[in-house]
Amino acid sequence: MAVLYVSEFDDHGDSETDVLRAAALANQTVTIAASANSSSTFNAGTGLVLVHTDTTCFVLFGTAPVATVTSSRMATNGERVYAVPKGRSFKVSVISA
């Protein structure tokens, strides 16, 4: 089963080196499939989201996102940090490539 791993952080741990804090506010997994699946709503204090995928996929962030094959592409074993607005009920949606 292909999975998108999602870790939520409040902010940078060290603004001079762009290092994330050691403890995430929350962690989630989202199944990557042929139809879009979404995470749970992010914590109100979440400002940065680290996503890691074990397969090629497409991701989209928003309050009611539905990822498609025109969303942001992530390569197999890719990892990326996204900034999201705090307190705006954002989630991430993912679909397989």
Side-chain angles (χ1 to χ4, degrees):
M1 172 174 64
V3 175
L4 183 73
Y5 299 89
V6 181
S7 296
E8 303 174 39
F9 296 89
D10 60 348
D11 213 334
H12 289 339
D14 180 348
S15 61
E16 298 205 8
T17 61
D18 291 330
V19 174
L20 296 172
R21 296 187 193 283
L25 295 174
N27 293 295
Q28 308 182 44
T29 58
V30 185
T31 302
I32 301 171
S35 58
N37 288 315
S38 292
S39 68
S40 297
T41 301
F42 298 146
N43 182 303
T46 297
L48 295 172
V49 179
L50 170 67
V51 292
H52 175 87
T53 177
D54 56 14
T55 191
T56 302
C57 63
F58 297 90
V59 296
L60 181 67
F61 289 81
T63 55
V66 179
T68 67
V69 296
T70 60
S71 300
S72 295
R73 183 181 183 277
M74 291 189 68
T76 299
N77 294 319
E79 190 171 82
R80 198 173 294 157
V81 176
Y82 289 91
V84 295
K86 291 182 178 183
R88 296 274 304 277
S89 301
F90 264 45
K91 352 176 147 174
V92 61
S93 175
V94 61
I95 192 169
S96 62

